[in-house]
Amino acid sequence: MSMGIFTLRFTNPTIFVYILKLFFIEIFVFLIGEPIVRFRYGIKIVGKKNYRLHKKEMKEGFITVYNHVLPWDCLAVSATRMGRFPEFPMWQAGFESTIGPLLRSYGGFPVVKTVHGVMNAYIAMRAVIKEHKWLHVYPEAA
């Protein structure tokens, strides 16, 4: 597919389908999920101007920490930065639950309760920061 001076190539059709699926899930979350969470739980964001003050540092990747208090915490966290989605570790049981595919496409990655699984999660978290992305951690899951 040619777009002016840019050329997009999808060598593997499953990658294209996966990217397309992520796109539609992000649109759903942005247009429907976050407003529902804001309305349902009455979330009010205080100190949003702090994001603008630390914009330069946030471009280098950053970590946020927030306790589990809502069933849809990942939507509540992303509501603080509309249109931005954090990547977060989650236990394998949550990853395999009925809402697991939504959480997975939203940015969740599994943590298996073994030494090897925890080490892989640590490597994944370091990769998120090295890629200058937003890593969100729930401390009670650690």
Side-chain angles (χ1 to χ4, degrees):
M1 174 188 306
S2 181
M3 297 171 51
I5 60 172
F6 299 106
T7 302
L8 298 175
R9 284 192 175 166
F10 295 102
T11 56
N12 188 344
T14 57
I15 293 173
F16 175 73
V17 171
Y18 178 73
I19 291 171
L20 190 64
K21 187 167 102 175
L22 281 179
F23 173 76
F24 283 115
I25 287 174
E26 287 179 359
I27 293 295
F28 168 78
V29 168
F30 180 70
L31 295 177
I32 297 170
E34 289 178 6
I36 287 174
V37 169
R38 283 177 185 252
F39 177 74
R40 167 70 173 91
Y41 298 107
I43 293 174
K44 182 177 181 193
I45 300 161
V46 178
K48 201 168 184 174
K49 64 182 173 200
N50 292 330
Y51 282 124
R52 281 183 241 117
L53 294 174
H54 300 286
K55 190 175 185 177
K56 182 180 176 186
E57 293 89 359
M58 289 169 51
K59 285 184 179 180
E60 299 297 319
F62 63 101
I63 301 172
T64 54
V65 180
Y66 174 79
N67 286 330
H68 276 294
V69 293
L70 305 171
W72 293 90
D73 281 332
C74 58
L75 290 174
V77 169
S78 71
T80 63
R81 299 187 72 214
M82 287 293 275
R84 307 286 174 102
F85 303 101
E87 295 191 29
F88 55 93
M90 55 190 284
W91 291 119
Q92 185 177 3
F95 200 72
E96 295 172 349
S97 69
T98 55
I99 62 167
L102 175 70
L103 297 176
R104 188 174 336 138
S105 62
Y106 192 75
F109 54 90
V111 178
V112 181
K113 292 183 181 182
T114 64
V115 174
H116 183 67
V118 172
M119 191 61 175
N120 285 341
Y122 174 73
I123 291 168
M125 287 188 272
R126 285 183 54 121
V128 168
I129 295 300
K130 283 184 180 180
E131 294 171 4
H132 305 294
K133 294 182 180 177
W134 177 10
L135 175 66
H136 183 77
V137 179
Y138 298 102
E140 67 274 4

